[in-house]
Amino acid sequence: AKAHGKNGYVFYKNDMHQDASDEFSLENHLRKALEQNEFELFYQAQINSQTGEIIGVEALLRWNHPELGMILPNIFIPLAEKIGLIVPIGEWVIMEACRQNKMWQESGLPNMKVSVNLSTQQFLKQNLVDVVQHVLQSTQLNPQFLELEITESMAMDYKYARKVIDQLRGLGVAVSIDDFGTGYSSLKNLKCFAINRIKIDKCFVMNVLHNQNDEQIVSAIIAMAHGLGVNVVAEGVENEEQLHYLHSQECYNIQGYYFMKPLPAYEFTDQYPQLVEE
Ligand code: C2E
Ligand code: CA
Ligand code: CA
């Protein structure tokens, strides 16, 4: 019983360890994920629904965990932020997205912007502009084909945000506000920052036909963007009714499952011709 007990103990201990600190073990995996090449970017098209043209793609991060399979960013990005890994991961994302876009251009696909999500920590890091410049240099991507997405909460330190946005724009890169309307300083941001476009958050788009408030918010955001001469994209568009509503408000830049789910790069390349024919 003792010998078994010993084995049993070891087994029991490992088991306990996993239960008690799931996060800890995920954290350890996450620390190795970058060097073990477990990250992958998926791409989702943004389409001009008037012309059928693909105007851009958003790069969306995925983690291919060796045991757990594909993990979505909402799970691991908060963890990566907590343990300070989001900065190197985020740098990898910028590099990979630019490299891929350059490859698409060289393989003959029509030019499009690639949009990359920034995390707050990346945005607040002093060397962000240098990192972006370095990536553009080493991938040889023309800066006009890169867009960086920030959120309203990153612009809390208003002076700093304005400086960084101006410097990024100075490189020739576009800057957009993601999840527009969910923060609390939207209007001020639009007025004071040199923003290229805003993305209407999917939480509003989803209910646009069933919730009067959301409908009002969406139409107001679109009207305001038009009035200020800022580009606007609606995200999370899943069906024709939502599309029709957006058209009625003269919003034609569309991202959502209705046209395309996020796909691995090679599948995106495969689907490209069909997408454009539609
Ligand atoms: P997000 O930037 O708002 O990205 C849009 C999310 O909506 C994506 O989720 C996308 O897959 C999903 N989506 C697109 N169309 C539809 C639709 O029609 N219906 C619905 N229900 N969902 C749709 P995903 O890929 O899981 O990413 C979640 C969030 O994780 C992103 O939200 C973004 O905030 C963050 N994220 C993704 N990649 C990165 C990254 O490289 N760096 C950082 N810092 N954050 C990232
Ligand atoms: Ca985004
Ligand atoms: Ca969003």
Side-chain angles (χ1 to χ4, degrees):
K2 232 180 186 176
H4 286 211
K6 197 181 174 192
N7 276 337
Y9 178 69
V10 172
F11 174 72
Y12 177 69
K13 199 175 147 199
N14 282 344
D15 212 33
M16 276 289 283
H17 178 76
Q18 281 212 331
D19 279 347
S21 48
D22 244 7
E23 190 178 280
F24 182 70
S25 63
L26 199 62
E27 192 177 308
N28 279 341
H29 280 290
L30 192 56
R31 288 183 196 283
K32 292 186 213 128
L34 203 52
E35 66 190 54
Q36 294 181 345
N37 276 317
E38 291 168 7
F39 290 115
E40 181 176 2
L41 291 182
F42 277 34
Y43 297 90
Q44 185 180 32
Q46 293 155 352
I47 295 188
N48 178 326
S49 51
Q50 252 179 336
T51 63
E53 230 182 328
I54 297 189
I55 50 173
V57 277
E58 180 170 6
L60 295 159
L61 186 58
R62 300 291 182 263
W63 178 17
N64 292 306
H65 188 282
E67 288 122 43
L68 300 173
M70 186 78 79
I71 307 184
L72 289 171
N74 289 339
I75 308 281
F76 68 87
I77 285 182
L79 186 58
E81 277 169 346
K82 196 180 99 190
I83 60 180
L85 275 181
I86 195 64
V87 172
I89 293 173
E91 287 178 7
W92 178 86
V93 172
I94 303 175
M95 182 66 91
E96 178 59 18
C98 291
R99 188 195 64 78
Q100 181 63 62
N101 201 17
K102 180 70 181 179
M103 267 194 22
W104 275 325
Q105 291 182 351
E106 285 182 340
S107 74
L109 284 197
N111 291 339
M112 56 194 178
K113 268 195 174 69
V114 68
S115 307
V116 171
N117 292 287
L118 292 183
S119 79
T120 306
Q121 282 173 37
Q122 272 177 293
F123 188 73
L124 296 180
K125 196 125 199 285
Q126 301 291 334
N127 70 350
L128 174 67
V129 177
D130 295 336
V131 168
V132 173
Q133 190 167 27
H134 165 73
V135 167
L136 291 169
Q137 240 155 34
S138 72
T139 60
Q140 289 294 301
L141 181 72
N142 184 322
Q144 75 182 91
F145 300 118
L146 173 63
E147 174 178 75
L148 299 173
E149 298 190 357
I150 63 172
T151 59
E152 295 158 76
S153 60
M154 295 181 196
M156 301 260 276
D157 180 349
Y158 160 78
K159 263 186 148 169
Y160 176 81
R162 187 174 173 152
K163 189 185 87 187
V164 177
I165 291 168
D166 286 347
Q167 284 175 346
L168 291 170
R169 294 294 310 277
L171 294 179
V173 169
V175 179
S176 67
I177 300 189
D178 201 4
D179 305 338
F180 189 82
T182 61
Y184 48 87
S185 51
S186 313
L187 297 173
K188 188 172 141 206
N189 287 346
L190 261 194
K191 192 169 149 268
C192 304
F193 298 143
I195 291 295
N196 298 85
R197 62 175 189 170
I198 56 181
K199 300 185 77 174
I200 306 176
D201 195 64
K202 59 177 180 292
C203 71
F204 302 122
V205 173
M206 268 170 183
N207 297 322
V208 88
L209 298 158
H210 308 290
N211 182 311
Q212 285 263 315
N213 291 338
D214 287 347
E215 186 196 323
Q216 289 301 320
I217 291 170
V218 169
S219 74
I221 293 175
I222 295 169
M224 190 175 60
H226 286 159
L228 292 169
V230 175
N231 221 304
V232 59
V233 188
E235 70 176 17
V237 178
E238 294 186 352
N239 58 50
E240 202 143 8
E241 292 74 29
Q242 293 164 343
L243 187 69
H244 282 153
Y245 178 79
L246 291 161
H247 284 177
S248 76
Q249 304 301 306
E250 293 173 38
C251 175
Y252 301 104
N253 293 333
I254 307 292
Q255 182 180 347
Y257 296 168
Y258 180 71
F259 285 114
M260 198 184 104
K261 291 203 164 165
L263 297 173
Y266 67 94
E267 283 185 43
F268 181 86
T269 319
D270 287 350
Q271 287 216 358
Y272 194 101
Q274 290 126 272
L275 260 176
V276 185
E277 269 164 31
E278 269 175 17

